[in-house]
Amino acid sequence: MSRVSVPCHVKGTVALQVGDVRTSHGRPGVLVIDVTFPSVAPFELQEITFKNYYTAFLSIRVRQHTSMHTPAKWVTCLRDHCLMPNPHSEEGAQDYVSLFKHQMLCDMARVLELRLILRQPSPLWLSFTVEELQIYQQGPKSPSMTFPKWLSHPVPCEQPVPLLEGLPDPSRVSSEVQQMWALTEMIRASHTSARIGRFDVDGCYDLNLLSYT
């Protein structure tokens, strides 16, 4: 399935306060990155790709267009997706990540905005974020393959020549085979008829033996 990159505007990270602790450099916490699509109509999100930079958990919320008379609403489509199996080690800290729409918790159609919520509970890392963020939507579908009408319903002049041309008629061959089978069964059932040919041969040998003696 093809995909098309969606032009977007990635805003700067905003630190969120968690309890009485505010996120800052050198202190773990939560960051928010908002992504807008100013030049694109509501679209169906297909894939999100980015390079992680010491983010341990990722949540995603989308603002979706509903109808003309209902304001767009925010929906959580990914919650605490693990990017680092152990936040206190560097495993997964700088991996490239791809997230597809089938991994999301909600329908990804009619997307207006995107919000990434980054979380790093470990105090070992001075900063964390995501880089090289790319958003993709589904590309145009390839035309379906259809068989031409002449292949499924050939006209009489276009019908192929029968492959059995020049061979015996199957129905006639079948009847002759049945007759041969019936004759064979009759011969097997009659022991006398089966030994007619051998009597002549045996008689010839007996006459020869008598004349020789």
Side-chain angles (χ1 to χ4, degrees):
M1 182 179 295
S2 61
R3 62 177 188 173
V4 177
S5 178
V6 180
C8 60
H9 174 66
V10 181
K11 299 181 180 179
T13 57
V14 177
L16 293 185
Q17 184 172 347
V18 181
D20 57 350
V21 178
R22 184 173 179 82
T23 301
S24 63
H25 290 290
R27 178 178 294 176
V30 180
L31 298 177
V32 173
I33 300 177
D34 284 334
V35 183
T36 60
F37 309 94
S39 60
V40 179
F43 66 97
E44 181 177 0
L45 191 147
Q46 181 76 22
E47 183 182 358
I48 302 174
T49 64
F50 58 88
K51 180 183 179 182
N52 185 30
Y53 186 79
Y54 291 93
T55 299
F57 301 98
L58 172 67
S59 297
I60 300 178
R61 289 174 60 83
V62 294
R63 190 166 74 92
Q64 294 176 311
H65 175 76
T66 53
S67 65
M68 297 298 297
H69 306 286
T70 305
K73 60 180 181 178
W74 286 94
V75 181
T76 299
C77 58
L78 191 67
R79 190 185 304 275
D80 289 332
H81 180 75
C82 183
L83 300 177
M84 296 175 62
N86 182 3
H88 304 289
S89 69
E90 294 196 35
E91 182 182 357
Q94 300 188 52
D95 288 350
Y96 283 91
V97 180
S98 293
L99 298 174
F100 300 90
K101 70 175 185 178
H102 66 264
Q103 299 176 258
M104 305 300 175
L105 302 175
C106 64
D107 186 16
M108 300 303 292
R110 305 179 304 278
V111 173
L112 294 172
E113 291 184 56
L114 199 67
R115 175 168 293 171
L116 308 180
I117 304 173
L118 289 56
R119 187 162 63 89
Q120 175 54 270
S122 175
L124 296 178
W125 320 116
L126 297 179
S127 61
F128 59 96
T129 185
V130 294
E131 304 171 339
E132 304 177 25
L133 181 64
Q134 294 288 333
I135 311 297
Y136 296 94
Q137 64 177 338
Q138 182 175 338
K141 297 181 180 180
S142 58
S144 59
M145 299 297 294
T146 56
F147 291 101
K149 294 182 179 179
W150 63 265
L151 186 59
S152 56
H153 301 285
V155 296
C157 62
E158 294 178 345
Q159 291 183 352
V161 178
L163 297 178
L164 298 179
E165 185 177 3
L167 296 179
D169 185 6
S171 60
R172 182 179 177 184
V173 171
S174 178
S175 61
E176 292 178 354
V177 170
Q178 292 179 5
Q179 293 177 5
M180 293 177 61
W181 177 83
L183 180 60
T184 303
E185 292 298 320
M186 291 176 59
I187 294 175
R188 288 180 180 177
S190 177
H191 297 283
T192 305
S193 300
R195 296 178 57 85
I196 291 176
R198 291 202 301 272
F199 285 157
D200 295 342
V201 176
D202 294 341
C204 292
Y205 279 112
D206 292 338
L207 292 175
N208 292 333
L209 289 172
L210 291 173
S211 60
Y212 178 78
T213 57

